[in-house]
Amino acid sequence: MKGPYPEIQGGGSLILAWQVRNKHVLVIGGGEVAAGRIVNVLNADAKVTVVSPQDGLNDEVAFRIAQKQVTYIDRKFEPSDLDGVDMVLTAVDDPEASSQIYKLCHEKRIPANIADVPPECDFYFGSVHRDGPLQIMVSTNGNGPKLASIVRKQIAAGLPPNVGAAIQKVGALRRKLRKIAPDIEEGPKRMQWMSKVCESWSLEDLCEMDDEDMEALLGFYKPGNVPSFQEVRLGEPEGAFDGSFGWL
């Protein structure tokens, strides 16, 4: 019998935006898969160590090493490499070695991803679309990475080309709003007001918004009003007059 609440659908994974800034991530392997993993964690501002014999490096991984974007250890994995590590990504063509590494990580409670072995993964990598601060991930829970890529491309093709820039401007506005209304009890009001801005203004308006526009718009936070972009630019938004002898 169906109830009034969402029906539980088992078999999924919990999709999170994992913050690994300044965390120590160990990548074991130096081939094409390792190269993709390295890009993912570097984009998330992690501190990356790569362990792989030099003859196993592909051109991209060798480039990251030459540019000192990662710390490099020229040899095969050793258990001591796990000391002080926050996350492990394994991408080697040795199933037995991969399983042993996973067991070691499990014993040390280090989250690990073993490439192409879903049962030995604490988390999966999805197919990600990136546009500035916007990230959209499609996951098949390890069932079909290629299909995830196809779905991700279809979703990305339907997005407005300026959505990333609009999100950057919204982020800047939120930071300014926190400065003028920093109290914790203001939280619900800040969220409600920002929601009104995002719903009332078009993506084009948000992209065009500059610092002067933001300052003018923030003048309407206290009474909870959200004038249109055109009204803000004209400098005489409707409803701005508060009944006293001056504009809000």
Side-chain angles (χ1 to χ4, degrees):
M1 181 177 178
K2 291 187 176 181
Y5 306 109
E7 187 175 351
I8 302 301
Q9 301 180 45
S13 57
L14 183 62
I15 297 180
L16 303 170
W18 198 340
Q19 297 292 341
V20 295
R21 179 187 299 271
N22 295 324
K23 299 292 186 180
H24 186 189
V25 177
L26 177 66
V27 178
I28 303 170
E32 182 179 353
V33 174
R37 299 290 193 255
I38 290 169
V39 170
N40 285 331
V41 290
L42 284 178
N43 282 340
D45 300 322
K47 296 178 180 178
V48 182
T49 296
V50 177
V51 175
S52 173
Q54 192 168 14
D55 59 8
L57 302 179
N58 77 351
D59 291 342
E60 183 176 348
V61 177
F63 172 81
R64 305 290 176 200
I65 294 169
Q67 295 295 310
K68 301 187 183 302
Q69 296 175 353
V70 301
T71 299
Y72 175 54
I73 300 176
D74 181 8
R75 58 167 169 73
K76 291 186 177 180
F77 168 81
E78 295 180 0
S80 61
D81 293 330
L82 297 179
D83 294 344
V85 167
D86 298 300
M87 177 187 291
V88 172
L89 311 176
T90 297
V92 295
D93 295 326
D94 188 337
E96 185 176 348
S98 294
S99 292
Q100 288 300 318
I101 294 169
Y102 179 73
K103 290 177 182 178
L104 288 171
C105 291
H106 187 71
E107 290 173 1
K108 291 179 175 289
R109 298 182 180 274
I110 301 173
N113 175 277
I114 310 302
D116 295 328
V117 189
E120 295 185 343
C121 290
D122 294 310
F123 56 91
Y124 303 119
F125 281 88
S127 183
V128 177
H129 170 72
R130 178 79 183 269
D131 181 358
L134 175 65
Q135 290 179 267
I136 298 174
M137 188 184 88
V138 177
S139 173
T140 61
N141 289 302
N143 287 285
K146 181 59 180 178
L147 187 57
S149 177
I150 292 171
V151 173
R152 184 260 301 166
K153 290 177 181 177
Q154 291 180 348
I155 292 173
L159 293 173
N162 56 353
V163 65
I167 292 172
Q168 287 180 321
K169 293 296 182 72
V170 168
L173 180 64
R174 285 187 67 206
R175 290 189 290 273
K176 288 178 179 290
L177 176 58
R178 281 186 173 274
K179 289 183 179 180
I180 67 170
D183 295 339
I184 295 177
E185 56 268 23
E186 287 283 324
K189 182 180 178 181
R190 285 197 306 262
M191 292 176 62
Q192 185 179 35
W193 189 78
M194 284 299 308
S195 294
K196 287 182 180 180
V197 172
C198 294
E199 292 167 357
S200 302
W201 289 29
S202 68
L203 290 175
E204 290 74 15
D205 293 339
L206 293 170
C207 287
E208 193 174 342
M209 178 174 57
D210 57 25
D211 286 341
E212 188 175 343
D213 297 325
M214 291 183 195
E215 296 298 333
L217 178 58
L218 288 170
F220 292 84
Y221 167 72
K222 189 173 182 179
N225 299 330
V226 177
S228 70
F229 176 70
Q230 290 74 20
E231 289 170 337
V232 168
R233 275 289 169 95
L234 288 173
E236 296 182 352
E238 292 180 6
F241 191 68
D242 67 352
S244 62
F245 293 96
W247 297 94
L248 287 176

